[in-house]
Amino acid sequence: MDSAIRIIVNGFPETVPDNIAISQLIDRFNEGDTDLIVEHNGRFIYPDFYMTTRVSPGDRVEFINPNFGG
Amino acid sequence: MTTLTSQERLRYDRQMIIPGIGEAGQKKLKQAKVFIAGLGGLGSVSGYYMAAAGVGHLRIADGDCVEFANLNRQILHHTPDIGIPKTESALKKLRALNPFCVITALHETIRIDNVIGLVGDSDIILDGTDNIATRKVLNSASVSLDIPFIYGGVNGFNGTVSTFIPGKTPCFECLFHQQSDKTQSPGVIGPLPAMVAAIQSLEAIKIILEMDGLLTNRLLLIRGVDMVIKKIDVPKNPECPICGPDMEKRQNG
Ligand SMILES: [Zn+2]
């Protein structure tokens, strides 16, 4: 069985499988809103790297709605 | 050579006494030309601050006319302005605020086929638009003309700001290439565009004064409901279709 780790998602503690990819976190925590941007430990992650960016214990991940009104 | 009249010295005294601005900085502001794209909630505030600071030349563009639903946040426009072009309304207020500021009003909607002409020989593009598509048009002009683009956006109680310098930092397209172009009119509470546009204006002034410490390679995120304000680091996108290596290769032949 995969070991579980604790990370922070959108400011709340969550338990997820170790080494989970950002793309899997998106599936887990969102309803497929492709327009959200992803912050991982204070860094913007490009969609091309969602599959290859993996999280470690204590990491912070936020899904953010960018703003385009004026 | 640029000179300042005694009236201008009086008008700008409180900023000219700041170490780092002084007479030399004020002359840089007077020589600068800034393009304000859109005269809504964001452009209202950046228009006021650019004119008030003594930016010598403003090019202001908007194809819309003033509507009642603009007035909760677009503070350049007042009730008697309903129905007139936003450029005309803005011109009236900004001229009254600072007659030393030369203003070119462009009553046109910004599009890919007219953007270069609208921006003209401006030194900076200040974003006051309300959609992704127009921002991508402004970004392409920024990259091809090699002038900074200062992005600001709002939605509800939230705001986002970042400064893009061609050749040095990521561009708008780097970050938002994959964003769909939703045509939506989000709710906006007035102080949010004011906060965002004040930060954009400060960035423009810092660029004109050749100061460091710009909001580059970072996105500033403002969440007004709980006053969480934070920055996230943004690396350049090597795959960017606008400023990526393919584009540079094409430009260099
Ligand atoms: Zn780019």
Side-chain angles (χ1 to χ4, degrees):
Chain A
M1 202 187 91
D2 282 344
S3 58
I5 57 167
R6 301 277 282 170
I7 62 169
I8 308 288
V9 179
N10 293 334
F12 296 100
E14 298 282 353
T15 303
V16 298
D18 195 8
N19 217 28
I20 190 171
I22 296 288
S23 54
Q24 294 166 291
L25 281 177
I26 291 172
D27 292 341
R28 210 178 163 106
F29 291 99
N30 292 287
E31 286 84 53
D33 184 347
T34 53
D35 288 340
L36 289 174
I37 61 171
V38 176
E39 172 199 352
H40 177 221
N41 293 338
R43 199 174 161 84
F44 181 96
I45 304 293
Y46 283 108
D48 289 347
F49 299 106
Y50 288 169
M51 306 268 275
T52 52
T53 305
R54 295 177 178 279
V55 300
S56 309
D59 280 5
R60 285 176 299 107
V61 177
E62 296 227 10
F63 303 107
I64 300 165
N65 243 312
N67 305 303
F68 299 111
Chain B
M1 213 186 74
T2 309
T3 53
L4 299 171
T5 64
S6 56
Q7 249 193 69
E8 287 176 287
R9 284 171 204 281
L10 206 54
R11 171 182 290 264
Y12 306 125
D13 177 62
R14 289 292 291 274
Q15 64 192 47
M16 287 176 67
I17 60 174
I18 300 173
I21 299 185
E23 173 145 351
Q26 195 60 50
K27 285 179 177 172
K28 284 179 188 168
L29 288 164
K30 189 172 180 176
Q31 284 173 308
K33 189 177 281 197
V34 174
F35 180 70
I36 300 180
L39 298 165
L42 297 167
S44 281
V45 172
S46 50
Y48 272 133
Y49 279 121
M50 290 295 96
V55 170
H57 195 157
L58 294 180
R59 291 174 70 83
I60 58 174
D62 199 308
D64 291 344
C65 293
V66 180
E67 297 172 23
F68 277 110
N70 301 149
L71 302 185
N72 78 317
R73 63 197 185 285
Q74 304 186 10
I75 59 172
L76 258 178
H77 314 302
H78 305 167
T79 307
D81 302 318
I82 299 296
I84 70 169
K86 288 184 178 177
T87 41
E88 194 183 311
S89 162
L91 196 59
K92 214 165 40 177
K93 314 313 185 317
L94 297 177
R95 279 204 175 133
L97 171 59
N98 191 351
F100 292 102
C101 180
V102 177
I103 303 167
T104 306
L106 306 150
H107 180 47
E108 276 187 71
T109 302
I110 299 163
R111 300 179 311 266
I112 193 70
D113 59 307
N114 69 358
V115 66
I116 298 293
L118 293 176
V119 173
D121 59 349
S122 301
D123 305 306
I124 294 171
I125 299 174
L126 260 180
D127 175 16
T129 63
D130 61 359
N131 64 85
I132 298 177
T134 312
R135 289 188 174 96
K136 288 186 175 181
V137 166
L138 293 171
N139 181 65
S140 70
S142 152
V143 172
S144 67
L145 297 168
D146 196 20
I147 57 172
F149 174 46
I150 307 174
Y151 152 60
V154 294
N155 187 346
F157 280 89
N158 299 327
T160 311
V161 197
S162 190
T163 297
F164 303 113
I165 313 277
K168 292 196 179 136
T169 74
C171 76
F172 182 84
E173 191 83 37
C174 280
L175 272 77
F176 300 119
H177 180 58
Q178 308 197 21
Q179 290 277 330
S180 61
D181 184 28
K182 299 178 272 223
T183 36
Q184 28 121 269
S185 295
V188 182
I189 185 75
L192 254 296
M195 286 172 78
V196 166
I199 294 167
Q200 291 177 278
S201 302
L202 187 56
E203 288 288 286
I205 289 169
K206 284 158 60 187
I207 290 172
I208 294 166
L209 297 176
E210 299 170 271
M211 291 169 62
D212 295 326
L214 295 171
L215 188 56
T216 47
N217 303 297
R218 292 172 294 173
L219 264 185
L220 179 75
L221 302 161
I222 300 167
R223 200 165 69 201
V225 279
D226 51 3
M227 278 302 167
V228 170
I229 298 178
K230 67 173 181 177
K231 288 175 292 234
I232 63 175
D233 295 329
V234 182
K236 206 168 153 95
N237 182 357
E239 307 295 327
C240 178
I242 296 295
C243 76
D246 286 354
M247 183 63 191
E248 279 162 30
K249 247 179 271 162
R250 249 175 285 148
Q251 278 183 338
N252 298 333

